[in-house]
Amino acid sequence: MTILEQSEIPTDDAVFRDLESEVRSYSRNWPTVFDSASGSWLRDESGRDYLDFFAGAGALNYGHNNPVLKTALLEYLSRDGITHGLDMSTVAKRRFLETFQQVVLAPRGLDYKVQFPGPTGTNAVEAALKLARKVTGRESIINFTNAFHGMTLGSLSVTGNSMKRAGAGVPLVHSTPMPFDNYFDGEMPDFHWFERVLDDQGSGLNRPAAVIVETVQGEGGVNVARAEWLRALADLCSSRDILLIVDDVQMGCGRTGPFFSFEIAGITPDIVTLSKSIGGYGMPMALTLFKPELDVWSPGEHNGTFRGNNPAFVTATAALEHFWTDDTLQRSTLRKGKRIQEIFANLADSFDGVSTRGRGMVQGLVFDEPGHAVKVCGLAYDEGLLAETSGPSDEVVKLLPPLTITDAELDHGLSILAEATAKTCA
């Protein structure tokens, strides 16, 4: 390999354009070079601060460089704790499993086995789909309109977004989409079509292995499933021997208030996927949880080189111990979510073609004119606020602030969004 002369080494932002793939996206919307971050703020290399209403797409529920988690991580690294462990037994993994059982599962009466499938959300989803098919001996999976479950082929097959599906380059098969809650704006009874095709011998629908659902569709446009809809879905699956998979990759770990987003419905899914904020510090980590009777894997049947990210076990344990041994964070999240709802409702009342929806601290400001959401986010960036769009036409300004954001920071960001909305809709 030829060593570059010093003068040939790129020294400015052109390196991103010249060397990095065209697939990059967030850097196009936020055209600066970030250098450091703390709490709810990022700072670029010029010293400008940006308030973060994005939180790593939900991977930073506890903020950037949370001091409690950072201390635990630095102490672990300083004593040469195991970093890479595949699925070997380690002290860090044992502490995480014990804490997860004591703090999360046992208080909620949940009896789940824990699988470490690989470090990302799509790894967790792939494991869930494979396991459902292995347990039932069936191939088909039911997914929902506007769903997003990941970018690998299995996850894409149960994703609704046509642009992302097209990137697969091959047919995405063995899945059937059904309408998500309120897809028909209340004009069709819930599950009318789903129940009919399941029970009709002439429908051509093979009995599925599983149904996979998000309780709140974040990438799909902050579409919120009602508790009664989720209960009806769980009952439908149970009565027809279909496994229910809840994808809690983005909405779990307290984003909607409770630790699991499905708690509001009082249901117990057969399989649950977690990632993003389960690691606490923004480091890759994912879990696939399932009822013990579904644990039919053979050793090594589903694996991955980086499924044992021990530093993430350490920060995950610290996050559970610090934030989830009481209901303080949950109550704070619900209170702050209500504050966002109030501001967004006022904006919806003030401007035609604007509405709002959400749960907890995932909230969406919806525009009938899709270009308005993009413009609002652009104006917000100019004023030092990071927020992204979602929905099939990018028609929703989606907020995912850190759950630990202060009231003053939240109000500051909301005032920027209110001003940007007023300018856009004037």
Side-chain angles (χ1 to χ4, degrees):
M1 182 175 66
T2 302
I3 299 177
L4 293 175
E5 297 292 334
Q6 184 66 36
S7 61
E8 296 178 279
I9 299 175
T11 58
D12 59 16
D13 296 355
V15 68
F16 302 112
R17 181 192 66 238
D18 295 343
L19 293 183
E20 191 177 0
S21 167
E22 293 298 316
V23 78
R24 67 193 186 280
S25 61
Y26 291 117
S27 59
R28 299 177 190 275
N29 297 328
W30 304 326
T32 190
V33 179
F34 295 103
D35 181 52
S36 61
S38 178
S40 301
W41 295 88
L42 292 95
R43 177 170 292 177
D44 69 14
E45 61 181 355
S46 70
R48 185 183 184 190
D49 291 326
Y50 294 83
L51 183 58
D52 189 2
F53 272 20
F54 173 64
L60 295 164
N61 282 3
Y62 313 113
H64 296 269
N65 287 302
N66 183 283
V68 173
L69 311 187
K70 180 165 64 175
T71 297
L73 177 61
L74 291 176
E75 289 178 352
Y76 182 77
L77 294 176
S78 69
R79 70 169 185 83
D80 291 334
I82 297 292
T83 298
H84 181 270
L86 293 104
D87 68 358
M88 294 183 290
S89 298
T90 66
V91 170
K93 184 198 285 189
R94 180 172 60 198
R95 282 206 62 216
F96 169 74
L97 286 170
E98 291 173 344
T99 305
F100 190 69
Q101 168 68 18
Q102 294 167 5
V103 175
V104 176
L105 297 181
R108 291 162 179 80
L110 296 172
D111 184 16
Y112 285 137
K113 298 292 289 291
V114 179
Q115 179 181 356
F116 300 97
T120 69
T122 197
N123 291 139
V125 170
E126 294 283 357
L129 300 180
K130 286 171 65 174
L131 182 61
R133 288 168 170 144
K134 181 177 176 66
V135 167
T136 64
R138 306 177 208 138
E139 296 178 353
S140 177
I141 305 291
I142 299 294
N143 59 294
F144 290 96
T145 50
N146 291 315
F148 178 80
H149 295 289
M151 298 297 286
T152 50
L153 290 182
S155 300
L156 275 179
S157 73
V158 291
T159 287
N161 186 284
S162 59
M163 182 272 287
K164 292 181 173 63
R165 289 176 62 88
V170 296
L172 297 171
V173 296
H174 307 306
S175 62
T176 303
M178 292 292 170
F180 191 71
D181 190 16
N182 204 39
Y183 185 74
F184 294 107
D185 297 322
E187 296 179 4
M188 182 178 289
D190 293 321
F191 302 119
H192 178 78
W193 170 248
F194 191 7
E195 288 181 304
R196 179 66 182 270
V197 296
L198 277 175
D199 297 337
D200 185 354
Q201 297 301 310
S203 70
L205 178 71
N206 295 326
R207 183 165 296 276
V211 171
I212 185 167
V213 66
E214 303 155 275
T215 66
V216 181
Q217 296 179 326
E219 298 302 309
V222 193
N223 305 310
V224 181
R226 294 165 297 146
E228 54 267 34
W229 187 87
L230 292 169
R231 284 192 291 270
L233 177 62
D235 290 343
L236 183 69
C237 290
S238 177
S239 65
R240 289 163 174 79
D241 190 31
I242 302 169
L243 297 178
L244 176 61
I245 305 169
V246 169
D247 182 343
D248 237 2
V249 167
Q250 188 169 76
M251 298 304 152
C253 303
R255 175 54 56 182
T256 66
F259 186 87
F260 294 108
S261 70
F262 57 81
E263 291 182 53
I264 189 174
I267 62 174
T268 303
D270 298 292
I271 304 175
V272 181
T273 61
L274 288 174
S275 187
K276 292 191 183 284
S277 279
I278 188 59
Y281 201 70
M283 290 188 294
M285 179 176 169
L287 307 177
T288 304
L289 313 176
F290 41 82
K291 294 179 178 179
E293 61 269 25
L294 304 181
D295 193 9
V296 298
W297 291 117
S298 299
E301 190 174 7
H302 185 91
N303 57 29
T305 303
F306 295 100
R307 63 193 182 279
N309 186 0
N310 281 252
F313 295 157
V314 172
T315 52
T317 300
L320 295 178
E321 292 175 337
H322 187 72
F323 291 105
W324 291 103
T325 54
D326 59 30
D327 66 351
T328 300
L329 182 65
Q330 177 175 326
R331 289 187 287 106
S332 173
T333 297
L334 294 174
R335 178 180 59 79
K336 292 171 186 175
K338 185 176 180 181
R339 174 61 175 160
I340 301 172
Q341 287 178 326
E342 290 171 349
I343 297 299
F344 278 9
N346 288 336
L347 291 173
D349 289 340
S350 301
F351 301 103
D352 292 336
V354 180
S355 58
T356 183
R357 54 183 180 246
R359 176 178 291 154
M361 285 184 71
V362 51
Q363 298 288 333
L365 192 63
V366 187
F367 294 86
D368 289 351
E369 174 53 52
H372 283 178
V374 175
K375 185 175 181 180
V376 166
C377 286
L379 291 171
Y381 172 79
D382 292 341
E383 297 301 317
L385 178 71
L386 305 183
E388 71 166 337
T389 60
S390 71
S393 301
D394 285 323
E395 73 276 17
V396 181
V397 176
K398 182 178 73 171
L399 297 197
L400 294 170
L403 307 184
T404 53
I405 193 170
T406 68
D407 290 348
E409 290 168 338
L410 184 62
D411 284 343
H412 174 60
L414 290 173
S415 68
I416 292 175
L417 282 175
E419 184 175 342
T421 300
K423 288 181 179 179
T424 299
C425 296

